[in-house]
Amino acid sequence: MKKTLQLQPCAVVVGVGAENGVGGALCKKFAQEGLPVYGVGRNAAKMNVLSRRFVAQGMDYQSLVADITNPESVAELFEQIRNAGRIPEVVVFNASEKNMPVPLKDVTADVAENMWRVCCQGGFIVAQQAVAAMLPRKQGSLIFTGATSSLRGRPQFAAFAAAKAGLRSFAQSFAREYGPKGIHVAHVVLDGVVDGDRASSAVGGIGKAYLMSKGTHGTLLPAAVADIYWQLHQQHPSTWTQELDLRPFKEKF
């Protein structure tokens, strides 16, 4: 009799840039909780550096490179994971384009389209593959990272807001379709500035001064965000959260 391949549960974090960021913090948290982790990014050089750092810290971690706007590339990504004897137990879509303010009249069609492809279509493509991997076991968590712009379009953030709002709609649709089939789909609105390398290095270092101006606990700490994502993954099916908003206690809303 042919033996059935026993796949080991793992975590997949799509959208990992610097170690000090939400993506990096998620990788650390999932590894700390005992899951093998795959971090996915688009820059091979950066991902290799991150992989060396995480492995040196004792994490069961591997970096993978993929173009999340390309269905074939994402399919190959999940096939790589399966061929390694792993099955996604939790998948986080954390990918995004930089959302610097730009007057609407200066936003080109190409820029708007690329924002949509990365922030919205990429989430749809990743979610399709994640759900397909989880359905046979009728369990798993699929978490999308949203932003303030997921809920409202602000001046000079039109392209980003449209893309993030679309991602939120995808998350709701996936939740309604696959929640009854055992897959927990959640959307997390990060309403505030993340205290990570991306914000710190913005505008030639001005970002660092801006983070300092927010004061103690005035920004979203990546490790604290990661703790919440893990809590979402651990929720009992009788009390699943579909959408959650996180913001520093000083942030206006």
Side-chain angles (χ1 to χ4, degrees):
M1 181 180 294
K2 186 177 180 180
K3 292 184 178 180
T4 302
L5 178 64
Q6 294 297 316
L7 301 176
Q8 181 184 12
C10 68
V12 182
V13 181
V14 179
V16 181
E19 180 178 356
N20 182 28
V22 172
L26 287 168
C27 291
K28 290 181 179 180
K29 179 62 178 179
F30 293 146
Q32 176 186 341
E33 297 295 339
L35 286 173
V37 179
Y38 290 91
V40 183
R42 55 188 168 185
N43 186 307
K46 287 184 178 180
M47 296 306 294
N48 287 336
V49 171
L50 196 62
S51 184
R52 289 195 294 270
R53 288 178 180 174
F54 283 165
V55 171
Q57 295 172 28
M59 292 169 53
D60 187 345
Y61 174 87
Q62 183 176 340
S63 285
L64 298 175
V65 177
D67 176 2
I68 60 169
T69 68
N70 184 306
E72 288 75 22
S73 180
V74 175
E76 290 175 4
L77 164 71
F78 280 85
E79 186 65 21
Q80 278 183 273
I81 294 171
R82 181 174 178 83
N83 289 340
R86 305 277 174 74
I87 187 74
E89 180 176 287
V90 54
V91 174
V92 177
F93 181 79
N94 184 62
S96 180
E97 280 286 85
K98 290 184 179 179
N99 60 332
M100 300 301 294
V102 179
L104 181 60
K105 65 182 179 62
D106 297 328
V107 179
T108 66
D110 287 343
V111 167
E113 180 179 357
N114 184 64
M115 187 72 76
W116 173 80
R117 287 187 181 280
V118 174
C119 297
C120 185
Q121 179 177 266
F124 172 76
I125 294 171
V126 169
Q128 279 189 320
Q129 291 294 328
V131 166
M134 294 173 181
L135 275 176
R137 300 174 68 221
K138 297 182 179 180
Q139 67 181 69
S141 299
L142 172 60
I143 306 174
F144 297 88
T145 297
T148 307
S149 293
S150 303
L151 305 177
R152 61 183 184 272
R154 296 180 295 164
Q156 301 191 25
F157 287 92
F160 184 69
K164 280 296 189 179
L167 180 68
R168 181 179 183 236
S169 291
F170 274 141
Q172 290 179 352
S173 295
F174 273 99
R176 292 184 172 108
E177 185 170 352
Y178 293 105
K181 298 178 181 179
I183 298 174
H184 183 190
V185 182
H187 178 258
V188 182
V189 176
L190 300 185
D191 187 12
V193 180
V194 175
D195 191 355
D197 287 347
R198 173 176 283 191
S200 180
S201 62
V203 199
I206 295 178
K208 187 173 184 179
Y210 176 70
L211 289 175
M212 292 179 65
S213 73
K214 303 293 283 186
T216 304
H217 303 320
T219 55
L220 289 153
L221 300 182
V225 172
D227 286 343
I228 299 298
Y229 278 56
W230 178 254
Q231 290 172 21
L232 286 172
H233 175 54
Q234 291 294 297
Q235 284 183 332
H236 189 272
S238 67
T239 54
W240 274 353
T241 295
Q242 198 286 308
E243 185 164 81
L244 183 68
D245 59 335
L246 305 177
R247 67 178 59 86
F249 76 104
K250 297 179 179 180
E251 190 75 21
K252 295 180 180 179
F253 67 98

